[in-house]
Amino acid sequence: MVKIGNISLPEFPLLLAPMEDVSDPPFRAVCKDNGADMMFSEFISSEGLIRDAIKSRQKLDFEEEERPFGIQIFGGDEEALGMSAKICETVNPDLVDINFGCPVKKVAMKGAGAGVLKDIDLMVRLTESVVKSTSLPVTVKTRLGWDDNTRNIEEVAERLQDIGIKALSIHGRTRMQMYKGEADWTLIGKVKNNPRINIPIFGNGDIDSPEKAVEYKNRYGVDGIMIGRAAIGYPWIFNEIKHFVKTGEHLAPPTVEQRVEVCRKHLHKSYKWKGPKVGIFEMRRHYANYLKGLPNIKEYRSKLVTMMTVEEIDAVLDEIVTKFAGFEFEPSKIELINYHEKCPVN
């Protein structure tokens, strides 16, 4: 069992990474159904929360079924971060997470997200402000460093642990790498195996198959894995990894019926949470991922991204189930979507 403060997670938990404009309540719901052990809100601007920005406030929404659940905040001002942690407390999440990892220019260049990696003393002060402002467990998600000359995650881990964080998630790239190249887990392993470190360490970056998850678990000794891009359109990745960890065997790929069922649930939750116009529009980005691997699917996909009502979309999904009934998907490694966080500042 892995403990984050008073939160108990199963042995080797799988966390859904917070992804801006992706990991909203509808997406989180289908990931939870398919084995995610813990998840987080999209990241929320501390300044936006304090200004009562509608989009920032909306990101605080979550369902009881999502627990344990963390709200992730970001910012570069100590007072604002502390105040936003108090606001987060009002909706009773299980923890508050601080984003020191977003690499996008309009966040990092304003001294927030991964931009804080250039000033570790500031990172410590910001984190301490949040720890002192809330009774909830505080965790941090960050990167290896700003660039290859400042891969200072070992120092960061010790100093943040010393001021009271309860877990640390590390993405195996620097800020300058953005999402390019391969994630380097070597330093993540060094942090985990540092005898001074006694908080859970979660690794993040490029996990795209059950085999890789088990390989990295064994090689680097991390307490769990945070999965982001691999879950987009394929929430089954969580249960597939769990099954492989337990048995060394692969689960069969989800059937057409299972894929459409999850896609439909995602759609209906998106419609309910965001409203008919936005809910249907924002769902369009997900159809290609859910239906990937089906032959000659372009015609149906074109329909799905032009339909304007849930009823029409449901009818097309029914057609797909009928058309491809009995189709057997080939087991294959998940292709990581070229996801770049937009990180809008609200």
Side-chain angles (χ1 to χ4, degrees):
M1 183 178 292
V2 174
K3 299 278 287 184
I4 302 177
N6 57 357
I7 302 166
S8 295
L9 298 174
E11 183 180 358
F12 198 66
L14 304 177
L15 287 60
L16 174 63
M19 294 177 284
E20 178 62 20
D21 280 350
V22 175
S23 50
D24 54 20
F27 178 73
R28 298 196 304 257
V30 297
C31 289
K32 184 71 172 183
D33 286 347
N34 288 279
D37 294 305
M38 183 166 185
M39 55 199 75
F40 301 83
S41 68
E42 299 173 77
F43 82 155
I44 305 173
S45 161
S46 57
E47 301 286 351
L49 271 183
I50 293 169
R51 292 199 315 269
D52 206 25
I54 292 173
K55 188 171 183 180
S56 293
R57 287 281 179 165
Q58 188 182 35
K59 289 179 182 179
L60 295 175
D61 291 351
F62 69 97
E63 302 287 342
E64 280 298 308
E65 300 80 52
E66 295 184 59
R67 293 188 186 277
F69 179 77
I71 293 176
Q72 189 184 74
I73 56 177
F74 76 97
D77 179 81
E78 295 168 50
E79 184 179 4
L81 265 183
M83 289 176 64
S84 64
K86 290 182 181 294
I87 295 171
C88 291
E89 267 194 337
T90 64
V91 299
N92 195 29
D94 296 289
L95 62 79
V96 173
D97 187 74
I98 310 172
N99 180 307
F100 289 137
C102 178
V104 175
K105 181 182 288 188
K106 64 181 177 181
V107 172
M109 295 307 181
K110 290 183 177 180
V116 183
L117 284 163
K118 292 193 288 187
D119 187 343
I120 305 307
D121 289 339
L122 174 61
M123 181 186 285
V124 171
R125 294 197 304 272
L126 291 169
T127 305
E128 191 168 27
S129 174
V130 175
V131 170
K132 289 180 176 179
S133 297
T134 178
S135 59
L136 294 168
V138 175
T139 62
V140 165
K141 183 173 189 285
T142 189
R143 290 182 168 234
L144 301 179
W146 176 258
D147 56 24
D148 283 339
N149 296 320
T150 56
R151 291 156 66 98
N152 46 25
I153 189 61
E154 293 175 88
E155 175 192 354
V156 165
E158 289 190 2
R159 294 185 65 181
L160 295 188
Q161 175 183 268
D162 289 347
I163 58 170
I165 70 165
K166 301 302 183 185
L168 179 64
S169 299
I170 307 169
H171 181 95
R173 290 182 173 88
T174 64
R175 184 272 162 183
M176 294 303 290
Q177 284 181 271
M178 301 290 286
Y179 295 95
K180 297 174 184 175
E182 289 188 10
D184 178 6
W185 283 54
T186 307
L187 282 177
I188 301 176
K190 285 186 177 180
V191 171
K192 172 57 195 170
N193 293 292
N194 178 349
R196 272 208 63 209
I197 297 296
N198 52 46
I199 58 173
I201 301 297
F202 303 114
N204 173 234
D206 295 355
I207 297 298
D208 55 9
S209 68
E211 292 94 337
K212 185 177 280 189
V214 170
E215 177 190 350
Y216 283 22
K217 171 183 183 290
N218 295 335
R219 183 187 300 178
Y220 301 109
V222 290
D223 295 285
I225 286 176
M226 181 176 276
I227 295 169
R229 292 177 293 162
I232 301 175
Y234 202 84
W236 301 276
I237 184 67
F238 298 100
N239 275 334
E240 288 184 358
I241 290 174
K242 288 182 173 182
H243 186 77
F244 194 78
V245 168
K246 187 175 181 179
T247 68
E249 299 176 353
H250 286 279
L251 284 174
T255 63
V256 174
E257 291 80 6
Q258 289 169 326
R259 289 169 190 256
V260 169
E261 178 187 0
V262 171
C263 180
R264 198 190 304 272
K265 177 171 182 175
H266 193 166
L267 165 68
H268 282 258
K269 282 192 166 287
S270 182
Y271 180 91
K272 181 180 178 181
W273 189 62
K274 300 177 182 178
K277 185 175 180 180
V278 177
I280 288 173
F281 178 77
E282 292 195 354
M283 187 64 196
R284 291 174 179 174
R285 73 184 77 171
H286 294 286
Y287 295 126
N289 300 316
Y290 279 124
L291 303 174
K292 187 174 182 180
L294 288 172
N296 304 314
I297 195 65
K298 185 176 180 180
E299 172 193 349
Y300 292 99
R301 201 169 64 233
S302 296
K303 290 181 181 179
L304 290 169
V305 299
T306 55
M307 298 296 184
M308 298 302 296
T309 71
V310 167
E311 291 76 18
E312 290 175 314
I313 298 170
D314 274 335
V316 175
L317 293 175
D318 289 339
E319 282 184 51
I320 292 170
V321 171
T322 302
K323 169 79 173 178
F324 296 100
F327 178 83
E328 294 187 6
F329 289 86
E330 292 292 327
S332 60
K333 189 170 75 170
I334 298 168
E335 182 182 343
L336 292 178
I337 294 164
N338 187 23
Y339 168 75
H340 292 268
E341 293 169 301
K342 295 179 183 178
C343 301
V345 180
N346 301 316

